[in-house]
Short mmCIF file of all heavy atoms in Angstrom, two decimals:
data_model
loop_
_atom_site.label_atom_id
_atom_site.label_comp_id
_atom_site.label_asym_id
_atom_site.label_seq_id
_atom_site.Cartn_x
_atom_site.Cartn_y
_atom_site.Cartn_z
N GLY C 1 47.15 -67.56 -45.84
CA GLY C 1 47.04 -68.97 -45.63
C GLY C 1 48.15 -69.53 -44.80
O GLY C 1 49.17 -68.83 -44.59
N SER C 2 48.11 -70.79 -44.50
CA SER C 2 49.08 -71.37 -43.55
C SER C 2 50.10 -72.26 -44.24
O SER C 2 51.11 -72.56 -43.61
CB SER C 2 48.37 -72.20 -42.49
OG SER C 2 47.62 -73.25 -43.14
N GLN C 3 49.89 -72.64 -45.47
CA GLN C 3 50.75 -73.71 -46.00
C GLN C 3 51.23 -73.46 -47.43
O GLN C 3 52.42 -73.66 -47.70
CB GLN C 3 49.98 -75.07 -45.92
CG GLN C 3 50.79 -76.27 -46.40
CD GLN C 3 50.07 -77.56 -46.22
OE1 GLN C 3 48.94 -77.56 -45.66
NE2 GLN C 3 50.62 -78.63 -46.69
N TYR C 4 50.37 -73.07 -48.34
CA TYR C 4 50.69 -73.18 -49.76
C TYR C 4 51.24 -71.89 -50.36
O TYR C 4 51.18 -70.83 -49.77
CB TYR C 4 49.44 -73.59 -50.51
CG TYR C 4 48.84 -74.90 -50.08
CD1 TYR C 4 47.69 -74.97 -49.32
CD2 TYR C 4 49.49 -76.11 -50.38
CE1 TYR C 4 47.16 -76.17 -48.90
CE2 TYR C 4 48.96 -77.32 -49.97
CZ TYR C 4 47.81 -77.35 -49.20
OH TYR C 4 47.27 -78.54 -48.78
N LEU C 5 51.83 -72.06 -51.56
CA LEU C 5 52.39 -70.94 -52.33
C LEU C 5 51.80 -70.87 -53.72
O LEU C 5 50.95 -71.73 -54.05
CB LEU C 5 53.92 -71.08 -52.41
CG LEU C 5 54.63 -71.08 -50.99
CD1 LEU C 5 56.10 -71.47 -51.16
CD2 LEU C 5 54.49 -69.71 -50.38
N MET C 6 52.21 -69.93 -54.51
CA MET C 6 51.57 -69.68 -55.79
C MET C 6 51.73 -70.86 -56.75
O MET C 6 50.85 -71.11 -57.60
CB MET C 6 52.12 -68.41 -56.45
CG MET C 6 51.61 -67.11 -55.80
SD MET C 6 49.79 -66.94 -55.78
CE MET C 6 49.50 -66.86 -57.55
N GLU C 7 52.81 -71.57 -56.68
CA GLU C 7 53.01 -72.77 -57.50
C GLU C 7 51.86 -73.77 -57.24
O GLU C 7 51.26 -74.37 -58.14
CB GLU C 7 54.33 -73.42 -57.22
CG GLU C 7 54.72 -74.52 -58.18
CD GLU C 7 56.16 -75.05 -57.87
OE1 GLU C 7 56.89 -74.39 -57.14
OE2 GLU C 7 56.46 -76.13 -58.45
N ASP C 8 51.54 -73.97 -55.91
CA ASP C 8 50.44 -74.86 -55.53
C ASP C 8 49.11 -74.31 -56.04
O ASP C 8 48.23 -75.03 -56.48
CB ASP C 8 50.40 -74.96 -54.02
CG ASP C 8 51.73 -75.43 -53.47
OD1 ASP C 8 52.17 -76.56 -53.76
OD2 ASP C 8 52.35 -74.66 -52.70
N PHE C 9 48.96 -72.97 -56.00
CA PHE C 9 47.73 -72.33 -56.45
C PHE C 9 47.53 -72.63 -57.97
O PHE C 9 46.43 -72.91 -58.42
CB PHE C 9 47.81 -70.85 -56.21
CG PHE C 9 46.56 -70.05 -56.58
CD1 PHE C 9 45.44 -70.07 -55.80
CD2 PHE C 9 46.60 -69.23 -57.69
CE1 PHE C 9 44.31 -69.36 -56.17
CE2 PHE C 9 45.44 -68.52 -58.07
CZ PHE C 9 44.30 -68.59 -57.31
N PHE C 10 48.60 -72.55 -58.72
CA PHE C 10 48.54 -72.82 -60.17
C PHE C 10 48.08 -74.26 -60.40
O PHE C 10 47.20 -74.57 -61.18
CB PHE C 10 49.87 -72.57 -60.81
CG PHE C 10 49.97 -72.99 -62.25
CD1 PHE C 10 49.21 -72.33 -63.22
CD2 PHE C 10 50.82 -74.01 -62.65
CE1 PHE C 10 49.32 -72.72 -64.57
CE2 PHE C 10 50.91 -74.38 -63.98
CZ PHE C 10 50.16 -73.74 -64.96
N TYR C 11 48.73 -75.20 -59.70
CA TYR C 11 48.35 -76.63 -59.85
C TYR C 11 46.91 -76.94 -59.42
O TYR C 11 46.28 -77.84 -59.91
CB TYR C 11 49.30 -77.52 -58.98
CG TYR C 11 50.76 -77.42 -59.40
CD1 TYR C 11 51.76 -77.60 -58.42
CD2 TYR C 11 51.13 -77.21 -60.70
CE1 TYR C 11 53.07 -77.53 -58.75
CE2 TYR C 11 52.48 -77.15 -61.03
CZ TYR C 11 53.47 -77.27 -60.06
OH TYR C 11 54.76 -77.19 -60.38
N ALA C 12 46.40 -76.09 -58.50
CA ALA C 12 45.06 -76.26 -58.00
C ALA C 12 43.97 -75.72 -58.93
O ALA C 12 42.76 -75.89 -58.66
CB ALA C 12 44.88 -75.65 -56.62
N GLY C 13 44.40 -75.04 -60.00
CA GLY C 13 43.42 -74.49 -60.94
C GLY C 13 43.62 -73.06 -61.31
O GLY C 13 43.04 -72.54 -62.23
N GLY C 14 44.44 -72.39 -60.47
CA GLY C 14 44.77 -70.98 -60.73
C GLY C 14 43.64 -70.04 -60.59
O GLY C 14 42.57 -70.35 -60.05
N LEU C 15 43.85 -68.80 -61.07
CA LEU C 15 42.86 -67.75 -60.90
C LEU C 15 41.49 -68.07 -61.54
O LEU C 15 40.44 -67.74 -60.94
CB LEU C 15 43.38 -66.40 -61.36
CG LEU C 15 42.55 -65.19 -60.87
CD1 LEU C 15 42.58 -65.06 -59.42
CD2 LEU C 15 43.03 -63.92 -61.55
N PRO C 16 41.43 -68.64 -62.74
CA PRO C 16 40.12 -68.98 -63.30
C PRO C 16 39.30 -69.89 -62.38
O PRO C 16 38.08 -69.69 -62.24
CB PRO C 16 40.45 -69.69 -64.61
CG PRO C 16 41.78 -69.13 -65.02
CD PRO C 16 42.53 -68.95 -63.70
N ALA C 17 39.94 -70.80 -61.70
CA ALA C 17 39.20 -71.69 -60.78
C ALA C 17 38.67 -70.88 -59.58
O ALA C 17 37.55 -71.07 -59.16
CB ALA C 17 40.13 -72.83 -60.30
N LEU C 18 39.52 -70.04 -59.03
CA LEU C 18 39.06 -69.21 -57.90
C LEU C 18 37.94 -68.30 -58.33
O LEU C 18 36.93 -68.14 -57.60
CB LEU C 18 40.21 -68.35 -57.37
CG LEU C 18 39.84 -67.43 -56.22
CD1 LEU C 18 40.89 -67.48 -55.10
CD2 LEU C 18 39.67 -65.99 -56.70
N MET C 19 38.01 -67.76 -59.53
CA MET C 19 36.96 -66.82 -59.97
C MET C 19 35.66 -67.58 -60.20
O MET C 19 34.57 -67.03 -59.95
CB MET C 19 37.42 -66.09 -61.24
CG MET C 19 38.54 -65.10 -61.01
SD MET C 19 39.10 -64.26 -62.53
CE MET C 19 37.76 -63.11 -62.77
N ARG C 20 35.75 -68.84 -60.63
CA ARG C 20 34.51 -69.59 -60.80
C ARG C 20 33.87 -69.85 -59.40
O ARG C 20 32.63 -69.80 -59.31
CB ARG C 20 34.80 -70.92 -61.56
CG ARG C 20 33.52 -71.64 -61.89
CD ARG C 20 33.73 -72.83 -62.77
NE ARG C 20 32.43 -73.42 -63.14
CZ ARG C 20 32.29 -74.60 -63.69
NH1 ARG C 20 33.35 -75.34 -63.96
NH2 ARG C 20 31.09 -75.07 -64.01
N ILE C 21 34.69 -70.13 -58.43
CA ILE C 21 34.17 -70.33 -57.07
C ILE C 21 33.41 -69.10 -56.59
O ILE C 21 32.36 -69.23 -55.92
CB ILE C 21 35.25 -70.76 -56.08
CG1 ILE C 21 35.83 -72.10 -56.50
CG2 ILE C 21 34.74 -70.76 -54.66
CD1 ILE C 21 34.89 -73.27 -56.40
N ILE C 22 33.98 -67.93 -56.82
CA ILE C 22 33.31 -66.73 -56.37
C ILE C 22 32.46 -66.03 -57.42
O ILE C 22 32.17 -64.83 -57.32
CB ILE C 22 34.37 -65.70 -55.81
CG1 ILE C 22 35.29 -65.19 -56.93
CG2 ILE C 22 35.20 -66.31 -54.67
CD1 ILE C 22 36.11 -63.98 -56.53
N SER C 23 32.03 -66.76 -58.42
CA SER C 23 31.37 -66.18 -59.58
C SER C 23 30.10 -65.42 -59.20
O SER C 23 29.70 -64.47 -59.88
CB SER C 23 31.04 -67.21 -60.62
OG SER C 23 30.20 -68.26 -60.09
N LYS C 24 29.45 -65.82 -58.12
CA LYS C 24 28.21 -65.10 -57.70
C LYS C 24 28.48 -63.65 -57.30
O LYS C 24 27.59 -62.84 -57.15
CB LYS C 24 27.45 -65.85 -56.63
CG LYS C 24 28.10 -65.89 -55.25
CD LYS C 24 27.22 -66.55 -54.27
CE LYS C 24 27.76 -66.52 -52.84
NZ LYS C 24 26.84 -67.16 -51.85
N PHE C 25 29.78 -63.37 -56.95
CA PHE C 25 30.19 -62.02 -56.59
C PHE C 25 30.72 -61.17 -57.74
O PHE C 25 31.10 -60.07 -57.53
CB PHE C 25 31.23 -62.08 -55.50
CG PHE C 25 30.86 -62.88 -54.24
CD1 PHE C 25 31.63 -63.93 -53.82
CD2 PHE C 25 29.71 -62.53 -53.53
CE1 PHE C 25 31.28 -64.64 -52.69
CE2 PHE C 25 29.34 -63.26 -52.43
CZ PHE C 25 30.16 -64.32 -51.98
N LEU C 26 30.73 -61.81 -58.97
CA LEU C 26 31.36 -61.12 -60.09
C LEU C 26 30.37 -60.70 -61.12
O LEU C 26 29.27 -61.24 -61.23
CB LEU C 26 32.36 -62.13 -60.74
CG LEU C 26 33.47 -62.70 -59.87
CD1 LEU C 26 34.32 -63.68 -60.69
CD2 LEU C 26 34.39 -61.56 -59.30
N SER C 27 30.75 -59.69 -61.88
CA SER C 27 30.05 -59.31 -63.09
C SER C 27 30.63 -60.09 -64.23
O SER C 27 31.73 -59.82 -64.71
CB SER C 27 30.21 -57.80 -63.32
OG SER C 27 29.60 -57.42 -64.55
N LEU C 28 29.89 -61.07 -64.73
CA LEU C 28 30.43 -62.08 -65.66
C LEU C 28 30.36 -61.59 -67.13
O LEU C 28 30.94 -62.27 -68.00
CB LEU C 28 29.69 -63.40 -65.50
CG LEU C 28 29.77 -64.06 -64.12
CD1 LEU C 28 28.95 -65.32 -64.10
CD2 LEU C 28 31.23 -64.32 -63.77
N GLU C 29 29.77 -60.50 -67.41
CA GLU C 29 29.61 -60.00 -68.76
C GLU C 29 30.74 -59.07 -69.20
O GLU C 29 30.74 -58.57 -70.32
CB GLU C 29 28.24 -59.32 -68.93
CG GLU C 29 27.07 -60.23 -68.69
CD GLU C 29 27.13 -61.53 -69.56
OE1 GLU C 29 27.38 -61.38 -70.78
OE2 GLU C 29 26.94 -62.61 -69.02
#
């Protein structure tokens, strides 16, 4: 990316938020 760091990623919702966005690519069980 061009701008942000992991602190910003945490404030933006962190890994659970990213995983929900890509949930159609995941095995949720």
Side-chain angles (χ1 to χ4, degrees):
S2 60
Q3 182 176 356
Y4 300 107
L5 298 171
M6 287 302 296
E7 189 176 347
D8 305 296
F9 183 75
F10 173 66
Y11 299 147
L15 194 65
L18 178 137
M19 292 179 75
R20 189 174 183 190
I21 294 296
I22 65 166
S23 59
K24 71 176 184 177
F25 303 125
L26 302 178
S27 174
L28 300 178
E29 298 306 312

